[in-house]
Amino acid sequence: MSLYSALYAGVSGLSAQSAAMATVADNITNINTVGYKGVEAQFRTLVTDGRAKANYSAGGVAAAPTALVSKQGLLQASGSSTDLAIDGGGFFITRTGTEGDSSVAFTRAGSFKQDEEGFLRNSSGLYLQGWRLNGAGDFTNTGSLDALEPVRVSDLVGTASPTTRLQLRANLQDNAVVGSPEGTFNRSFDVSDSRGGSHTLTTTFTKTGANLWSFSVSSPDATPAQIAGGTMEFNGDGSLKSITDATQGSITGEFKVKPNWAAAGAASEEITLEFGTPGSPSGGINGITQFGGPSSVVSSNVNGGLLGNLVSVDVSKTGRVSAIFDDGSTRDVFQLPIATFQNPDGLTRLSGNAYTVSKASGGVTLNTPGSLGAGDIASSSLEASTVDLASEFTNMIRFQRAYSASSKIITTVDDMLREVSDLKR
């Protein structure tokens, strides 16, 4: 009897509208959850017999909730530099623990803070993962989640960082006379070896002719004491024309030297000397120049040394995590990856506003932020929930009315069945 199919259809309507109301409840309660993606209640028909005929059998309806994981939420400013948001596609990679066998979870909830052990965790207790950088600031992307480590910068406190860059902007006196005191200019710098030991590195510039200066880089702790030496030639307008090293020849790119600290018992590290770029777009005035006035240093910068107390953590747009110490030194420590999927809406939801891989989502791909479909990282920002409160209240009215209508189907069919049973009287 088709009346019974109508009764079951009404029951399916009650069940479907109940499930739809549950999505509304979930969305409204998570309206302030960072990175939350709203769930949209959709419906699909249930058919018992697809042929339309006189004796029609009702099928009903079923709820088909869809998570709009790929929908971008608004980015809101935050006061913490470790609050992170993704501007574009992709997810942060996290684990439920610090061990390598802990479960992996993908999330857009970037409210990361340092815990008591210095690890970056979000409000759900998930540990942020990244590639640890080597001494040269490089990493290798193998595409494997096993190559990632929990992001932790506090373990750098008290360690040493060797000097790898010496930047010098200085002016050499144009009218200095060859052989006069003004024709020689010295400047010393404190540099560090791989163990944090301090050494004095002295740069000496001596005028040898019109627009020509010789230079030397030396240290009493190095073997040999003279590390580099050569000549500098300047254009008539005072800009740097060329640098020629005694052993490396003409310098057109990075000028690198490697002091031998063997006498001090420390390993040797290359130091890039930034004396200026001959023929650069800036006209050769971004380093050593030759203008009028006494020889003097405009600015200098030397990295490396013993790392003091950690002051803050900075995350760049490209995902570089840098530790900033109380002496002003900065060290890049981690590179954050972004996980992307062919179908992010197919991910399986987890508690803690996170997701895991499913058959519908496809496999995970790891890339640096801003490349191959991965979004950029916005530091000091959080992604807001995608829930629209006005839409949810409207849906609440719709589903409530539909639920009431489905209940009317049941009461009406019940009255009709009572009429049938009364025929026996």
Side-chain angles (χ1 to χ4, degrees):
M1 181 182 289
S2 59
L3 277 178
Y4 285 108
S5 67
L7 184 65
Y8 294 140
V11 172
S12 71
L14 293 178
S15 177
Q17 302 306 324
S18 297
M21 187 62 76
T23 66
V24 172
D26 213 11
N27 289 341
I28 292 177
T29 54
N30 283 283
I31 193 169
N32 291 319
T33 301
V34 173
Y36 177 78
K37 303 300 181 180
V39 180
E40 184 178 89
Q42 299 179 356
F43 302 92
R44 58 186 177 88
T45 59
L46 297 176
V47 177
T48 57
D49 189 346
R51 296 169 296 174
K53 51 188 179 181
N55 188 20
Y56 183 79
S57 177
V61 66
T66 302
L68 305 178
V69 181
S70 58
K71 185 177 181 181
Q72 173 80 53
L74 294 176
L75 302 189
Q76 299 177 336
S78 167
S80 173
S81 62
T82 56
D83 281 343
L84 309 177
I86 301 176
D87 187 7
F91 301 83
F92 297 111
I93 298 96
T94 62
R95 287 185 184 270
T96 55
T98 58
E99 298 78 16
D101 57 353
S102 300
S103 300
V104 176
F106 306 97
T107 184
R108 303 270 297 191
S111 54
F112 296 103
K113 299 288 187 296
Q114 291 191 63
D115 65 6
E116 64 278 3
E117 295 180 351
F119 294 103
L120 289 184
R121 300 170 62 188
N122 67 7
S123 55
S124 299
L126 299 174
Y127 291 84
L128 181 62
Q129 304 289 302
W131 291 297
R132 184 177 286 276
L133 303 179
N134 58 24
D138 299 324
F139 68 96
T140 301
N141 180 8
T142 62
S144 173
L145 295 171
D146 295 333
L148 302 177
E149 299 180 27
V151 175
R152 185 187 190 188
V153 296
S154 61
D155 53 1
L156 294 177
V157 175
T159 61
S161 175
T163 295
T164 58
R165 182 174 63 89
L166 190 159
Q167 181 186 47
L168 176 62
R169 288 193 61 201
N171 179 63
L172 303 178
Q173 185 172 338
D174 175 48
N175 58 359
V177 178
V178 176
S180 68
E182 293 80 12
T184 300
F185 177 66
N186 298 292
R187 178 59 192 262
S188 296
F189 304 89
D190 289 331
V191 297
S192 300
D193 58 33
S194 57
R195 300 187 307 186
S198 181
H199 307 279
T200 300
L201 201 68
T202 302
T203 57
T204 302
F205 301 90
T206 303
K207 189 168 186 178
T208 58
N211 297 328
L212 290 175
W213 293 71
S214 66
F215 73 91
S216 66
V217 180
S218 60
S219 173
D221 299 330
T223 306
Q226 180 159 321
I227 301 167
T231 58
M232 287 185 175
E233 183 178 1
F234 296 88
N235 295 308
D237 61 358
S239 62
L240 183 61
K241 181 178 182 181
S242 66
I243 302 177
T244 303
D245 182 68
T247 58
Q248 302 180 46
S250 178
I251 304 298
T252 57
E254 292 185 333
F255 186 11
K256 294 187 176 182
V257 297
K258 193 171 184 178
N260 184 355
W261 308 121
S268 300
E269 298 286 346
E270 279 190 335
I271 300 177
T272 300
L273 302 177
E274 298 185 11
F275 286 167
T277 308
S280 68
S282 59
I285 58 173
N286 60 343
I288 309 297
T289 57
Q290 181 188 246
F291 294 116
S295 298
S296 60
V297 172
V298 178
S299 66
S300 63
N301 190 13
V302 181
N303 68 352
L306 287 174
L307 301 179
N309 295 321
L310 183 67
V311 175
S312 62
V313 177
D314 180 70
V315 182
S316 71
K317 181 179 180 181
T318 57
R320 286 269 170 160
V321 180
S322 303
I324 303 174
F325 299 90
D326 55 3
D327 60 354
S329 61
T330 302
R331 184 171 180 180
D332 293 341
V333 189
F334 279 91
Q335 170 65 53
L336 297 183
I338 296 293
T340 56
F341 301 87
Q342 290 293 326
N343 177 28
D345 291 338
L347 291 167
T348 299
R349 297 198 302 165
L350 300 173
S351 295
N353 199 17
Y355 306 88
T356 188
V357 179
S358 72
K359 183 178 180 180
S361 69
V364 59
T365 302
L366 303 183
N367 287 300
T368 54
S371 64
L372 301 176
D376 294 322
I377 289 182
S379 179
S380 299
S381 300
L382 290 173
E383 183 179 4
S385 170
T386 60
V387 175
D388 179 20
L389 196 56
S391 297
E392 296 305 322
F393 280 130
T394 302
N395 288 334
M396 184 182 294
I397 296 172
R398 289 174 50 221
F399 300 149
Q400 181 184 11
R401 294 305 182 191
Y403 186 90
S404 178
S406 295
S407 68
K408 292 298 183 184
I409 294 175
I410 297 174
T411 57
T412 302
V413 171
D414 179 56
D415 291 340
M416 295 173 70
L417 289 173
R418 184 180 300 111
E419 290 294 331
V420 172
S421 64
D422 288 344
L423 292 175
K424 183 176 178 296
R425 295 179 182 177

